Amino acid sequence: MKLSDLKMFQTIITASPNEEIHILDEHEGTYFLTKTRIKTEDFKGNKIEDIENKFRVTSIWSVNITDGQIRKITPYGDFDINDVYITANYLYFVKITDADHDGLLLEEDYQGGELWRVHWQTLDHTLCFNIRPYNFHRFLTANDNYVVFVSEDRIPDVTEVVFYDLNTKRFAVLNNVYDYDWCDFRLVDDKKGEPVFLFQKKYSEGVMQDAPCVNLVTWPDLIAQLDWE
């Protein structure tokens, strides 16, 4: 049987022919999605002649499965959305803006951006910080007090694990150096929903480690060890 042959389904949200829908995640019966569309005119109203300069814009939506309520969380605007992370109270996203004011969203714009969060019940939007000087790659975790993301390609051969304290507005960074001081790492949630940091040393001062082991650092111990600036 083909998946496309399934019957007895319920359509929960639709899009126009020039839009695409992407399913993000679920939280307590609410499903989060994005709608994207390709711009044929730049932000200044000029037609985009070069197909390579066409770009997308994104909006964020939610659907409550119990009552069918559809909410527009973040409407379309003069920006794209690079990544989204959903927590118990907030939806965090990276807003890509036209930093050089040329009316387009091109590759260099995606190297920066702004990190925002929206309280997905009240729909209040708050700018948390500008991504620069880091190059946002992906979220690792977030909660009411901290955001953690990966920055790539800012420093040659280094992956940066970037922490941001939303209360003190300070950053801390863990550097992971390819083939020299490299660790495999994960942030996972424990039974209480609190992040736990797992890491395994692969290289130490350029020497491959012969005896693999996985180390665990609790969230309070991790936060206390970081150098905050």
Side-chain angles (χ1 to χ4, degrees):
M1 178 181 179
K2 295 184 293 186
L3 192 155
S4 58
D5 289 336
L6 288 175
K7 297 178 174 60
M8 295 184 294
F9 57 80
Q10 175 187 2
T11 300
I12 62 172
I13 192 170
T14 61
S16 62
N18 66 334
E19 292 180 310
E20 291 185 0
I21 297 179
H22 302 274
I23 302 170
L24 297 175
D25 206 346
E26 179 272 345
H27 181 75
E28 296 183 351
T30 297
Y31 287 79
F32 296 88
L33 313 99
T34 60
K35 293 184 181 182
T36 63
R37 62 167 67 127
I38 300 299
K39 293 280 288 182
T40 57
E41 293 183 346
D42 66 20
F43 293 141
K44 298 179 180 181
N46 302 312
K47 184 178 180 180
I48 302 174
E49 301 290 349
D50 188 345
I51 191 172
E52 292 186 358
N53 287 339
K54 290 185 178 181
F55 59 91
R56 72 177 190 184
V57 290
T58 302
S59 57
I60 304 175
W61 301 71
S62 69
V63 181
N64 186 299
I65 299 301
T66 301
D67 58 18
Q69 182 185 27
I70 298 174
R71 303 179 79 195
K72 186 190 297 181
I73 295 178
T74 302
Y76 285 115
D78 290 349
F79 57 85
D80 190 20
I81 292 173
N82 191 17
D83 199 7
V84 175
Y85 192 91
I86 299 163
T87 71
N89 297 312
Y90 292 97
L91 184 150
Y92 290 86
F93 63 93
V94 176
K95 179 188 286 188
I96 304 301
T97 59
D98 179 17
D100 55 7
H101 306 292
D102 62 356
L104 303 170
L105 294 181
L106 302 177
E107 183 177 354
E108 54 268 26
D109 295 310
Y110 282 84
Q111 294 175 357
E114 303 167 345
L115 195 141
W116 286 71
R117 74 177 181 181
V118 52
H119 194 286
W120 55 266
Q121 294 174 334
T122 66
L123 301 188
D124 291 334
H125 286 64
T126 304
L127 172 62
C128 298
F129 57 87
N130 289 312
I131 297 294
R132 293 289 194 186
Y134 303 106
N135 292 337
F136 182 91
H137 183 65
R138 61 186 173 92
F139 282 109
L140 284 179
T141 192
N143 55 34
D144 288 3
N145 300 308
Y146 295 95
V147 177
V148 187
F149 64 94
V150 172
S151 173
E152 297 278 13
D153 302 323
R154 185 173 78 98
I155 304 172
D157 299 324
V158 175
T159 290
E160 297 173 287
V161 183
V162 184
F163 297 75
Y164 183 77
D165 187 325
L166 290 156
N167 297 311
T168 65
K169 303 185 186 307
R170 295 187 301 168
F171 286 95
V173 180
L174 292 175
N175 289 327
N176 206 16
V177 184
Y178 291 105
D179 295 339
Y180 185 77
D181 256 345
W182 178 255
C183 297
D184 186 16
F185 64 91
R186 298 288 188 277
L187 266 169
V188 298
D189 291 343
D190 62 15
K191 292 181 180 180
K192 299 179 181 179
E194 188 168 84
V196 172
F197 192 78
L198 303 175
F199 69 99
Q200 178 184 4
K201 291 184 178 181
K202 296 291 189 178
Y203 287 87
S204 179
E205 295 185 348
V207 179
M208 184 178 292
Q209 299 301 286
D210 295 327
C213 64
V214 176
N215 305 294
L216 181 151
V217 185
T218 65
W219 184 251
D221 288 342
L222 176 63
I223 294 300
Q225 291 181 67
L226 298 175
D227 294 326
W228 295 92
E229 298 180 358

